[in-house]
Amino acid sequence: MNIILLGPPGAGKGTQARLLTDQRGMVQLSTGDMLRAAQSSGTEMGKRVADVMARGDLVTDEIVIGLIREQLEQGTGSGFIFDGFPRTLAQADALGDLLAQMGQDLHAVIEMQVDDDVLVSRITARSTCGSCGEVYNDLTKPIPADGKCSNCGGTEFKRRADDTEEALRTRLMAYYKQTSPLIGYYHAKGLLKGVDGLGEIDQVARDIAALLD
């Protein structure tokens, strides 16, 4: 099954994508991860990415689609999960064209629905393990009392510099301007499904599993 996780920054897309890879053997296709991997890959596409990023330019949609093609050609296990892509209608069209060329289908687009004020409160309390990236939250999932990451035992934790209320509301506005039109786009295609993105992690995972099943 091939899906897109759609939702504003901080809605938990990355967390749910990781759970799906662990539980169902799906492959998470995060454009940020793909770009970082491509820079050191030595492939022709990787050299293009490295050159663009070295100049400080934005990576084009053409390059991102090329990286996605490479990933799909390597196989996608029990299906793929797009986390953070597409962000615009143009990217959605390009992704649809690519999947059609490769004989792949998109089965569901899951919108992780949130309340902005609650999201801001949650994200400004967020921190991550410096070793493995496990996410913690002062309100809902505090760092263990012994100061060690429950996933890897690491003892260094960090907060993103842009996890402030002002920065987050700026990111939310950018999301609503650029990405929220995709909600209508995929609704019209009959692919859109919604879950409460602010529930407990395990509950959100169960809700997503129910939609996929």
Side-chain angles (χ1 to χ4, degrees), residues 171-185:
R171 288 156 62 197
L172 285 170
M173 183 57 67
Y175 169 79
Y176 290 128
K177 284 182 177 179
Q178 285 193 328
T179 308
S180 61
L182 295 177
I183 294 170
Y185 177 92

Side-chain angles (χ1 to χ4, degrees), residues 41-176:
S41 68
T43 66
E44 204 57 44
M45 185 62 72
K47 292 175 183 176
R48 290 180 63 188
V49 171
D51 182 55
V52 169
M53 297 182 80
R55 296 197 308 267
D57 295 337
L58 291 175
V59 176
T60 64
D61 289 352
E62 177 193 2
I63 289 177
V64 174
I65 288 292
L67 291 175
I68 292 171
R69 179 187 291 276
E70 286 186 349
Q71 291 290 318
L72 296 181
E73 287 173 345
Q74 293 174 19
T76 54
S78 298
F80 58 76
I81 310 159
F82 281 108
D83 165 22
F85 188 91
R87 294 179 185 270
T88 66
L89 292 174
Q91 290 177 351
D93 281 336
L95 178 60
D97 290 343
L98 173 63
L99 295 178
Q101 292 168 18
M102 301 191 71
Q104 294 270 11
D105 292 317
L106 185 63
H107 299 100
V109 177
I110 299 175
E111 180 196 2
M112 302 185 66
Q113 301 161 337
V114 302
D115 175 278
D116 286 1
D117 290 337
V118 176
L119 182 65
V120 168
S121 175
R122 186 170 79 172
I123 296 307
T124 53
R126 181 172 66 178
S127 58
T128 58
C129 172
S131 298
C132 70
E134 183 75 7
V135 179
Y136 294 90
N137 189 282
D138 298 342
L139 304 175
T140 59
K141 184 186 175 184
I143 294 170
D146 62 3
K148 296 181 180 180
C149 173
S150 58
N151 185 53
C152 74
T155 57
E156 293 187 11
F157 301 89
K158 57 187 179 182
R159 294 185 188 271
R160 281 179 50 162
D162 58 353
D163 277 353
T164 63
E165 179 170 355
E166 181 180 5
L168 182 56
R169 290 196 182 278
T170 298
R171 288 156 62 197
L172 285 170
M173 183 57 67
Y175 169 79
Y176 290 128

